[in-house]
Amino acid sequence: MTSTPAEPPLVNLPNVLTSLRLLLVPVFGVFLIFSSGTGVWWRIAACAAFCIASFTDFFDGRIARAWNLVTTFGKVADPIADKALVGTALVLMSWFGMLWWWVTALILIREIGVTVLRFWVIRHGVIPASRGGKVKTILQVTAIAWLVWPWPFPLHLLGPWMMAAAVVVTVVTGVDYVFQALRVRKDGLAREKRALADQP
């Protein structure tokens, strides 16, 4: 009789990094609110909090997989922290006129839609994170950080172009996820059909 491998301890470095990212979301939000979108030092503080939080995102998952420290908490909290951080940034930036509302709506709809797609096909399989999805995350984080930082003229003009690139990749990868979800569901239904056919 084989025993199920024990889950790694809940308190480990990847989970600490994920928890730190979650804690930094309201910190970032408060700093940006205090800036009212124009206060230079508050925007610098908000950008610093955002960059530190984003920095943890590039390491918690890698460390968890490399050191075999993947936990249920990490699987659930990591994507929540990512979406909370980016979502808070987009909404507040649009609120203060730093970003068009349609951009925020488009990105949030894409993120929510991908999450719904993952749950829709979860009984058939898992939609793997694509390379395009990682590029999308990097572009979004870079664009947000650039727009929040109070760059002088003309450097601040680069922000909208960075966000435009992020939006294009966001839409393209979102469409790709739809096709992946349909493929995973189709393959899953085909396996179920074969399994029923093989039953005596």
Side-chain angles (χ1 to χ4, degrees):
M1 187 175 180
T2 58
S3 58
T4 303
E7 183 172 275
L10 181 62
V11 180
N12 58 51
L13 181 56
N15 286 349
V16 169
L17 292 174
T18 301
S19 299
L20 175 62
R21 187 157 72 260
L22 281 168
L23 292 173
L24 283 173
V25 171
V27 173
F28 160 75
V30 168
F31 287 165
L32 195 55
I33 289 171
F34 282 177
S35 79
S36 297
T38 57
V40 171
W41 291 108
W42 284 115
R43 282 178 64 175
I44 290 174
C47 187
F50 180 83
C51 289
I52 293 171
S54 300
F55 189 74
T56 66
D57 184 34
F58 288 106
F59 288 97
D60 55 1
R62 289 171 175 80
I63 294 173
R65 290 186 293 271
W67 296 0
N68 195 27
L69 293 174
V70 177
T71 63
T72 302
F73 171 82
K75 292 177 182 177
V76 175
D78 182 66
I80 291 176
D82 298 343
K83 288 174 175 55
L85 180 63
V86 172
T88 299
L90 294 173
V91 170
L92 288 178
M93 289 167 65
S94 293
W95 182 266
F96 290 121
M98 302 164 67
L99 184 66
W100 300 290
W101 274 110
W102 70 265
V103 172
T104 294
L106 183 63
I107 293 176
L108 292 182
I109 289 171
R110 185 270 189 198
E111 298 299 334
I112 294 171
V114 168
T115 301
V116 171
L117 283 174
R118 288 185 184 278
F119 280 106
W120 182 53
V121 301
I122 196 168
R123 62 183 287 259
H124 302 294
V126 176
I127 304 176
S130 64
R131 184 174 299 176
K134 296 175 182 177
V135 172
K136 178 268 302 181
T137 300
I138 293 173
L139 287 174
Q140 285 182 1
V141 167
T142 303
I144 290 171
W146 194 277
L147 287 168
V148 172
W149 186 270
W151 294 103
F153 179 86
L155 291 176
H156 76 284
L157 297 176
L158 292 174
W161 290 101
M162 292 180 179
M163 185 56 73
V167 168
V168 170
V169 177
T170 296
V171 172
V172 171
T173 55
V175 173
D176 180 61
Y177 270 112
V178 172
F179 284 107
Q180 285 193 60
L182 293 174
R183 187 161 49 248
V184 168
R185 186 173 186 273
K186 180 181 177 181
D187 293 343
L189 290 173
R191 286 194 302 270
E192 291 177 2
K193 187 176 181 180
R194 287 194 299 270
L196 288 173
D198 292 339
Q199 288 181 358

